[in-house]
């Protein structure tokens, strides 16, 4: 998730029962600015030890649950943070970065994003990046990645990859959504799918309800199996239009990729991070078993992250 991090947002995460969250520290940022974002998180964790703790492992996430705290997983939505240096991945891993998306919407040194007109696939440098991430135990995330680049990465990676926050194109044709074939393929290769509750990627758009979200979850579960699916809401709290405008331009300032303007709408009943229990209740209303609910809420992610991160 990418939010305007503040004590208010952290308190909402705790009230919403979030045990751990993949918190974005890089979208378009370079090495220096990403390091500053990480420093801000380190300060927040030090300043609010009653609410936050950093997690580096699945054992840490379970510890956060036991203590009633929110576990912070640092994550990248782009490899712009490493610039052209493979050796910085080891540094970022030591600082707590556990999830790295290869590209954010457009072309970078690693490969192409989903809004790039010509997807040339994973580059030679990209293959080295994936290999180093495998060695370090960092999750290869392909959510905003172009179809050919994602396919190349899945085939090249020695560890399973994930679409950490997506919706299915089978329900709504959108450049950010993934085809049925892509979703099946990543799971066939041992991978994982996190379902986003982001209205622009849903056919119901700004009118989306929690029941519409459950429809999306069930569609993906039917494709991928309930043990390979989890939550990946892509939640953004407290940011205004300027931030979304920055996200929607290539490199944050160049050509506009995403035609949408303004802030993104919220799912009705899921307007803040404190509202996550409403999603659980929607699963219960749909008649999901306790095993399925526990799996999708977190146990499936823990199993998968254990495979990727290791001990």
């Amino acid at each position: 998730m990418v939010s305007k991090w503040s004590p208010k947002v952290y308190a909402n995460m705790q009230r919403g029962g979030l045990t751990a969250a993949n918190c974005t520290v890089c979208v378009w940022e370079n090495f220096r600015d990403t390091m500053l974002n990480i420093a801000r998180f380190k300060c927040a964790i030090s300043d609010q030890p009653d609410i936050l703790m950093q997690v580096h492992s699945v054992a840490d996430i379970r510890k956060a649950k036991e203590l009633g705290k929110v576990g912070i997983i640092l994550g990248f939505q782009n490899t712009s943070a490493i610039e052209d240096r493979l050796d910085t991945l080891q540094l970022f891993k030591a600082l707590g970065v556990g999830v790295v998306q290869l590209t954010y919407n457009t072309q970078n040194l690693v490969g192409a994003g989903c809004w790039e007109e010509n997807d040339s696939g994973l580059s030679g440098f990209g293959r080295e990046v994936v290999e180093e991430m495998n060695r370090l135990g960092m999750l290869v995330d392909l959510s905003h990645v172009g179809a050919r680049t994602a396919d190349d990465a899945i085939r090249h990676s020695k560890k399973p990859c994930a679409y950490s926050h997506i919706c299915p194109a089978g329900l709504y044709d959108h450049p950010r959504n993934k085809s049925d074939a892509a979703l099946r393929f990543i799971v066939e290769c041992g991978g994982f799918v996190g379902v986003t509750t982001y209205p622009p990627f849903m056919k119901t758009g700004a009118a989306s309800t929690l029941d519409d979200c459950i429809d999306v979850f069930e569609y993906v579960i039917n494709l991928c199996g309930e043990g390979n699916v989890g939550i990946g809401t892509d939640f953004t709290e407290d940011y205004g239009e300027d931030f979304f405008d920055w996200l929607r331009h290539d490199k944050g300032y160049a050509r506009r990729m995403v035609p949408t303007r303004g802030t993104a709408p919220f799912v009705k009943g899921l307007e803040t991070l404190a509202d996550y229990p409403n999603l659980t209740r929607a699963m219960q209303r749909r008649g999901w078993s306790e095993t399925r609910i526990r799996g999708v809420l977190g146990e499936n992610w823990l199993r998968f992250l254990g495979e990727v991160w290791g001990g």
Side-chain angles (χ1 to χ4, degrees):
M1 61 178 64
V2 51
S3 292
K4 190 172 183 180
W5 307 111
S6 67
K8 171 196 166 186
V9 171
Y10 299 135
N12 279 345
M13 293 168 79
Q14 189 179 46
R15 282 199 294 272
L18 275 71
T19 299
N22 174 22
C23 300
T24 297
V25 291
C26 170
V27 180
W28 297 121
E29 289 90 343
N30 60 14
F31 175 82
R32 181 181 187 276
D33 290 340
T34 299
M35 289 294 285
L36 290 174
N37 286 341
I38 292 173
R40 293 184 188 105
F41 258 111
K42 297 284 188 181
C43 289
I45 292 167
S46 296
D47 291 343
Q48 299 177 83
D50 55 326
I51 294 179
L52 305 176
M53 64 175 281
Q54 190 166 5
V55 299
H56 298 262
S57 65
V58 168
D60 287 342
I61 296 174
R62 294 195 182 278
K63 185 68 174 179
K65 178 70 171 178
E66 179 184 326
L67 297 174
K69 296 183 180 183
V70 179
I72 301 297
I73 304 164
L74 301 179
F76 291 175
Q77 296 222 35
N78 200 351
T79 46
S80 57
I82 72 171
E83 300 181 9
D84 59 355
R85 299 292 310 214
L86 280 173
D87 50 5
T88 61
L89 281 168
Q90 185 165 247
L91 170 63
F92 284 124
K93 172 67 174 180
L95 290 172
V97 176
V99 181
V100 175
Q101 185 171 264
L102 297 186
T103 67
Y104 186 77
N105 290 343
T106 58
Q107 185 76 40
N108 63 19
L109 294 177
V110 168
C114 61
W115 285 92
E116 193 67 42
E117 291 90 343
N118 299 303
D119 184 350
S120 57
L122 194 68
S123 68
F125 180 68
R127 290 193 295 273
E128 290 185 282
V129 167
V130 168
E131 289 164 8
E132 179 68 353
M133 288 172 61
N134 287 169
R135 185 184 75 83
L136 294 169
M138 303 171 90
L139 174 60
V140 177
D141 184 3
L142 304 170
S143 301
H144 287 251
V145 177
R148 180 179 172 187
T149 300
D151 188 83
D152 287 351
I154 293 168
R155 293 178 188 278
H156 190 71
S157 181
K158 298 298 189 292
K159 289 192 175 183
C161 305
Y163 293 124
S164 73
H165 54 292
I166 60 89
C167 276
L171 285 181
Y172 180 55
D173 187 15
H174 186 284
R176 258 283 278 120
N177 291 350
K178 304 302 180 185
S179 70
D180 288 1
L183 295 174
R184 289 194 191 98
F185 181 64
I186 198 169
V187 168
E188 287 168 1
C189 295
F192 195 87
V193 178
V195 174
T196 182
T197 56
Y198 188 63
F201 302 157
M202 298 167 64
K203 65 180 179 181
T204 40
S208 297
T209 66
L210 288 164
D211 287 331
D212 294 321
C213 295
I214 302 305
D215 289 342
V216 177
F217 272 101
E218 291 188 338
Y219 184 92
V220 177
I221 286 170
N222 287 337
L223 276 176
C224 301
E226 68 179 51
N228 303 309
V229 176
I231 292 176
T233 57
D234 206 14
F235 207 95
T236 304
E237 186 166 331
D238 277 358
Y239 268 125
E241 186 171 347
D242 286 349
F243 177 76
F244 283 92
D245 206 45
W246 177 72
L247 291 178
R248 292 164 180 158
H249 281 81
D250 190 9
K251 312 300 183 286
Y253 70 90
R255 67 184 174 91
R256 174 175 284 277
M257 303 170 299
V258 185
T260 308
R261 297 179 185 271
T263 60
F266 291 104
V267 170
K268 299 179 189 309
L270 196 59
E271 288 86 5
T272 76
L273 289 161
D275 295 329
Y276 268 76
N278 293 337
L279 184 60
T280 307
R281 284 189 278 270
M283 295 173 180
Q284 292 172 321
R285 284 198 306 272
R286 190 61 64 92
W288 285 18
S289 68
E290 181 177 346
T291 299
R292 171 177 283 193
I293 292 173
R294 285 182 178 273
V296 171
L297 288 181
E299 290 295 337
N300 293 342
W301 265 120
L302 292 184
R303 187 268 307 163
F304 176 72
L305 288 174
E307 293 178 15
V308 176
W309 288 350

